[in-house]
Every structure is written in C-alpha cells, then in structure tokens.
Amino acid sequence: MPLVDDVRPADPGLWRVLAVQYASRQGVRGQHFLGHDDRSAQPHPTAYYVWLAVSDSATVLVDAGISAAHAATVAGLAHRGSPVALLGEVGVGPADVDAVVLTHLHYDHTGTVAELPRARYLVQRAEWAYWTGPWARRISREHWLSNPADLAHLAGAGHRLELLDGDREVLPGLSLHRVGGHTAGMQVVRLRTPAGAVVVASDSSHFYENLETDRPGTLLHEMTGVYGAFDRVRELADPGLVLPGHDPEVLRRHRPAAPSLAGRVALIG
Ligand SMILES: [Zn+2]
C-alpha cells in the first residue's frame, strides 16, 4: 500500500500532514530577520517545502513549490526536483490531488500549479486582487516574488480557481484563515489531526524563530499584519504544531514519514 494511504486517519474530519522538503539554500541571518544585529552575518540555511494533507477521503496539497524549470533560474538553490514528482515517493500522482491551497502567490509557492490536472485552487480574493490589480504593477520591490506564468495558468483555470473572503472551513477539519502581513492576502491552514490542531503557517512565519521571538522576517508587505499573523497562528495551533514556511528544523522536530524519507519528508499529526 502506498505510504500516503497508510497514514490517512480513519476518522472522517481528521488529517495528517506530510512536510515535503524539495529544495534548500544557504543564507545568512541578515537575509532572514528584519533589523541588523551582531549575528546578521551568521550562516542561516533555508528549506523549501510543500505540505500534503490527507484525510480518509481527500488529498490536499498546501502550496505548489518551485517548478524544475524555474528552479534553474534561482541563484544558490539546491533543488531536489519538482515537488509534484517528489510526491510520487509517498504514492501521490498529480491527478490524485483534489485541491491546492495557495497560502500566497509568491513564485516559490505556485510553481507547479500547471502540473496538477484536476485540483481546485484555493486563494484569498485579496491576494488574487493584489497580484492581478493595479498595486502589484506599481510596487516594483515585489515584482521578483511572483511568477507571471503561474498567475496566467490560474487566471485560465476557470471554475477550478476559487477565491475566498477570509476564514472558511473548506473541508471537514481543514480551515483556511486569512492573515495578511507577508503578502496582501496571505492565508494559513489549520488541520484537525489525531495529535491536535496543526497550523501550516507557511511564510507568515518563515522560521520557528520568527514566531518564537516575535521577530518579523525581511520580506513583508505590511508590518502590522505580520504581528497580527503571529498572534493568529498562536491562537489557532496546539503547542508544538506550527509548521513554518522555510525552517530546516521542521525535519528535526517531527518524525520521518518513513525511515527511507528521513531528512526529506516529515509526518505531523
Ligand atoms: Zn516562501
């Protein structure tokens, strides 16, 4: 039996989450934490994830990573392969994905949307409006963060693109919560699991340290929203069950999904 079916909880409305690391990059603390301090030059590695959430009856991908073609253009990125291809290692094919929650529309979270033939795409309306409206065209400091080809794919997806206004339980036990801050319409995902409420914070907290020391990262759309997001994530998650967007530590704090997947895929819930 594929691994993914082994970990599906039997109770309807319960989920488990696989954090799949598909890339990594070296960096320094000064690139990742707002404000200079005497540790800014210290090495600070970054990890890149997609998260697969599975229940007894649904398979939901949270974010879509970076495509292999785009990865080749990102300096210093060690890319393991298309996140969609890596899902094959746990027994999930592209057509098995029922829905993709896009926490936000940065290029490292939308890269494989065109590789998922059947999925609904769940995006906050405020996020979609920002990137497709007049503001993103003018705010040039954020231009490098989006991939126009991915947005064009979503724009052509017809009824498969679903725009949400604020908080909503989209499937039993899986709810989306708009937080803003990092982007105009950032959302986080809360999942009821056998171990408690897991929150995929994604880039509302790039690293555990952002949330744990109340310190914003360097990439932000709007400052008060960043702090509001920290508060909301703390409120929504049970202790120890927040999954930050880019922290290599996720694979150390949670058990491997299988011995052969140690250091690559963690199982949460
Ligand atoms: Zn990101």
Side-chain angles (χ1 to χ4, degrees):
M1 181 152 74
L3 183 138
V4 70
D5 292 326
D6 271 346
V7 303
R8 288 181 193 277
D11 295 350
L14 282 185
W15 297 78
R16 279 203 179 87
V17 184
L18 298 165
V20 178
Q21 189 187 315
Y22 68 87
S24 59
R25 186 174 55 76
Q26 290 305 319
V28 295
R29 287 180 57 84
Q31 295 171 312
H32 300 151
F33 297 101
L34 197 64
H36 187 79
D37 62 27
D38 57 7
R39 298 166 69 198
S40 292
Q42 288 180 5
H44 198 257
T46 305
Y48 293 74
Y49 298 95
V50 296
W51 301 270
L52 186 75
V54 295
S55 71
D56 68 326
S57 57
T59 300
V60 175
L61 188 62
V62 178
D63 287 340
I66 306 179
S67 68
H70 193 84
T73 71
V74 180
L77 190 77
H79 196 248
R80 264 187 193 139
S82 164
V84 170
L86 296 179
L87 292 179
E89 295 187 322
V90 299
V92 171
D96 297 329
V97 177
D98 301 307
V100 185
V101 174
L102 297 169
T103 62
H104 61 302
L105 297 175
H106 284 174
Y107 75 92
D108 57 325
H109 298 258
T110 59
T112 62
V113 286
E115 298 175 38
L116 300 162
R118 211 171 56 73
R120 305 152 61 191
Y121 304 110
L122 303 171
V123 184
Q124 287 289 325
R125 190 182 307 277
E127 182 73 0
W128 184 251
Y130 173 76
W131 289 106
T132 59
W135 295 111
R137 278 197 284 279
R138 290 171 63 186
I139 301 178
S140 55
R141 70 171 177 144
E142 295 193 322
H143 284 174
W144 68 280
L145 288 164
S146 84
N147 183 344
D150 298 342
L151 298 185
H153 176 80
L154 293 172
H159 69 275
R160 287 171 60 206
L161 175 64
E162 296 180 29
L163 301 178
L164 308 166
D165 296 295
D167 294 12
R168 191 183 331 156
E169 185 171 50
V170 290
L171 289 165
L174 188 163
S175 54
L176 307 182
H177 304 268
R178 181 177 157 193
V179 294
H182 177 58
T183 65
M186 176 90 206
Q187 61 184 342
V188 301
V189 187
R190 183 178 196 260
L191 298 132
R192 216 143 40 81
T193 79
V198 169
V199 171
V200 180
S202 181
D203 293 1
S204 66
S205 182
H206 288 78
F207 299 92
Y208 287 112
E209 188 174 339
N210 296 115
L211 198 63
E212 290 171 359
T213 65
D214 212 32
R215 185 171 176 182
T218 51
L219 290 177
L220 61 94
H221 180 73
E222 183 263 311
M223 182 68 94
T224 53
V226 170
Y227 286 98
F230 288 166
D231 290 348
R232 190 69 175 124
V233 167
R234 289 182 192 116
E235 186 176 272
L236 291 168
D238 278 328
L241 295 179
V242 173
L243 299 175
H246 290 275
D247 200 328
E249 184 71 15
V250 169
L251 297 179
R252 293 187 280 271
R253 291 197 189 186
H254 296 280
R255 62 195 188 277
S260 62
L261 295 172
R264 293 189 291 148
V265 184
L267 176 64
I268 302 103

